[in-house]
Amino acid sequence: MRKCLWLWGLLFFALGFAWSITAERNPCTERISGSAGDVLEDDPVGRLKVYVYELPSKYNKKILQKDPRCLSHMFAAEIFMHRFLLSSPVRTLNPEEADWFYTPIYATCDLTPTGLPLPFKSPRMVRSAIQLISSSWPYWNRTEGADHFFVVPHDFGACFHYQVTDSSLPRLAGILPILRRATLVQTFGQRNHVCLNEGSITIPPYAPPQKMRARQIPPDTPRSIFVYFRGLFCDVNNDPECGYYARGARAAVWENFKSNPLFDISTEHPTTYYEDMQRAIFCLCPLGWAPWSPRLVEAVVFGCIPVIIADDIVLPFADAIPWEEIGVSVAEEDVPKLDKILTSIPSHVILRKQRLLANPSMKRAMLFPQSTLPGDAFHQILNGLARKLPHPKSVYLNPGEKILNWTAGPITDLKPW
């Protein structure tokens, strides 16, 4: 029975190969129809004004000087958003006319020698910055941060003590208490999770636009790979039994499809990784420790249909990007049926997804280019902030009114930074 399924899948694969050649050699694109397409192409200029606090360089530039790797890390959005806003037409130098206030802190630019994040000092940095702006300007105290936004691109956003569960040590779990009225611009997005506030703006992780652009292959190259994935299937260093990492979804991919000729999957990360994605029809984007990964950005940019395996994920710019039309969502429990699911998608559906992915506006929305472009990820963030205006009157506090608990959290978080 399994051999028959493979033969059927290979026939489908051959047909898919032909569809892809036809689609690629006739490089037509399709604009998403209706309001979603309009939202994706919105121009935020004239719809909001942002005041950028001028902070001492110890909160941003000096941190970057210590570790320039932060410029190319998947968390680099916090750096490039700061640079973008400094020269953006939405910036105002008059805080009295601002709709939003931005505090430029690089809380995620603290990496181990191997490039892993060390966010455990971040609460002290954030608290120190907020103490500074609340004592130097009157605007934080009017709302306790409800008209402020922070870029927190760490794996779990502003849950800096992310390894703590809310059932074991509730004082540590969840979003840093002092940020719970602010709008968080974060890569982490999972419904009904303690690390996601209602009203947060979920963004894509940073992927280097110049590097990706330099690895483009000719557009008429056929997509000869049916399913592609490179990455860990089990994090043996942190989960030797493979029972927790990716909630078992990645392990299930390997167990079920390691010998399937339709699946080009491996832990090895070849130098042709970007080129291979451009030769694939489907690219797997499974959860890891967090629901998101840069594969989602890479798949969209390279026109490979993203296969999203992450239950309850909140996708980047979901109010603008039509994920259900450009990708395929597969429940974690359905991973063993992944071959049947993908080979059963009709050819006209695949072709339409490829045409939508070929639309430049779809790709721009996922990237943070150093030379900004209309509709890029910077503009999608601003659009998200503009859609939250005007602020309801309820966000403004009465004189002397306090809601946030400034002393909540462990003693180590309260130490001066």
Side-chain angles (χ1 to χ4, degrees):
M1 180 67 183
R2 185 172 179 84
K3 184 177 290 185
C4 290
L5 177 61
W6 279 7
L7 290 173
W8 178 61
L10 284 170
L11 176 61
F12 177 91
F13 176 59
L15 291 172
F17 180 87
W19 298 331
S20 180
I21 291 177
T22 302
E24 291 293 343
R25 289 184 177 172
N26 296 279
C28 59
T29 67
E30 184 172 333
R31 181 185 184 274
I32 192 70
S33 60
S35 60
D38 296 335
V39 169
L40 191 63
E41 296 167 12
D42 273 351
D43 184 357
V45 177
R47 300 170 57 214
L48 78 166
K49 293 183 178 181
V50 176
Y51 181 76
V52 180
Y53 286 116
E54 293 187 19
L55 299 185
S57 60
K58 70 174 185 176
Y59 292 101
N60 39 64
K61 294 178 182 177
K62 284 189 176 178
I63 294 174
L64 179 58
Q65 288 172 0
K66 290 180 181 178
D67 196 342
R69 291 179 301 166
C70 296
L71 279 172
S72 57
H73 203 281
M74 71 178 77
F75 304 138
E78 63 184 356
I79 299 168
F80 290 110
M81 189 66 188
H82 181 201
R83 293 182 176 182
F84 164 74
L85 284 171
L86 290 178
S87 58
S88 170
V90 306
R91 183 188 182 190
T92 177
L93 301 179
N94 179 7
E96 292 296 331
E97 65 178 20
D99 301 297
W100 288 99
F101 296 83
Y102 168 65
T103 308
I105 51 178
Y106 301 167
T108 315
C109 185
D110 188 4
L111 307 175
T112 67
T114 58
L116 297 174
L118 286 172
F120 311 112
K121 299 175 185 175
S122 300
R124 293 167 55 202
M125 182 196 303
V126 173
R127 186 184 300 274
S128 172
I130 293 176
Q131 286 173 336
L132 175 62
I133 63 174
S134 64
S135 60
S136 304
W137 291 271
Y139 308 106
W140 174 275
N141 299 318
R142 296 186 312 187
T143 65
E144 285 200 315
D147 55 356
H148 289 56
F149 70 93
F150 293 78
V151 181
V152 281
H154 173 254
D155 280 354
F156 290 91
C159 284
F160 299 117
H161 298 288
Y162 60 94
Q163 292 176 314
V164 178
T165 63
D166 53 351
S167 59
S168 62
L169 288 172
R171 279 167 54 84
L172 295 181
I175 293 167
L176 186 68
I178 203 170
L179 290 178
R180 290 181 183 174
R181 282 175 61 82
T183 289
L184 302 178
V185 177
Q186 59 185 63
T187 47
F188 178 83
Q190 183 174 326
R191 289 186 292 275
N192 304 315
H193 196 283
V194 69
C195 296
L196 182 68
N197 262 354
E198 183 179 354
S200 296
I201 296 175
T202 309
I203 64 172
Y206 177 79
Q210 295 86 349
K211 182 179 178 182
M212 299 176 82
R213 206 162 31 239
R215 304 290 287 277
Q216 294 278 357
I217 63 177
D220 60 350
T221 303
R223 291 188 179 270
S224 55
I225 301 169
F226 188 59
V227 180
Y228 187 75
F229 175 78
R230 290 294 184 272
L232 290 177
F233 295 98
C234 176
D235 185 354
V236 293
N237 293 325
N238 297 296
D239 179 24
E241 301 297 322
C242 300
Y244 296 98
Y245 181 63
R247 296 198 286 258
R250 292 198 189 195
V253 168
W254 179 252
E255 182 63 30
N256 286 277
F257 305 112
K258 59 188 175 185
S259 301
N260 190 318
L262 296 179
F263 285 68
D264 186 347
I265 58 176
S266 173
T267 56
E268 296 180 4
H269 206 289
T271 56
T272 56
Y273 174 69
Y274 282 162
E275 290 83 353
D276 292 344
M277 293 189 86
Q278 295 170 77
R279 295 186 180 99
I281 296 173
F282 295 103
C283 289
L284 301 186
C285 302
L287 74 162
W289 287 112
W292 61 272
S293 83
R295 291 178 189 84
L296 203 58
V297 179
E298 296 160 349
V300 172
V301 170
F302 291 132
C304 186
I305 299 170
V307 180
I308 301 158
I309 307 171
D311 295 353
D312 299 321
I313 188 173
V314 177
L315 290 160
F317 306 134
D319 55 351
I321 296 177
W323 289 104
E324 71 284 354
E325 299 193 50
I326 65 172
V328 177
S329 292
V330 176
E332 294 166 24
E333 66 178 5
D334 290 336
V335 165
K337 298 183 288 185
L338 197 53
D339 50 355
K340 295 180 182 178
I341 292 170
L342 297 181
T343 54
S344 67
I345 299 175
S347 60
H348 70 274
V349 174
I350 290 178
L351 288 172
R352 182 166 188 269
K353 290 180 185 295
Q354 289 177 331
R355 288 196 302 271
L356 290 170
L357 285 167
N359 191 319
S361 65
M362 210 70 69
K363 305 175 189 297
R364 280 199 302 267
M366 298 294 284
L367 294 174
F368 296 91
Q370 292 189 34
S371 298
T372 62
L373 298 168
D376 62 18
F378 300 116
H379 290 85
Q380 299 305 329
I381 292 171
L382 294 181
N383 284 332
L385 292 169
R387 286 192 283 273
K388 292 166 68 71
L389 297 175
H391 297 296
K393 292 182 179 180
S394 59
V395 307
Y396 297 97
L397 306 180
N398 296 320
E401 183 181 3
K402 299 288 184 184
I403 295 177
L404 297 176
N405 182 355
W406 283 66
T407 60
I411 295 176
T412 53
D413 283 0
L414 304 180
K415 293 180 178 179
W417 182 78

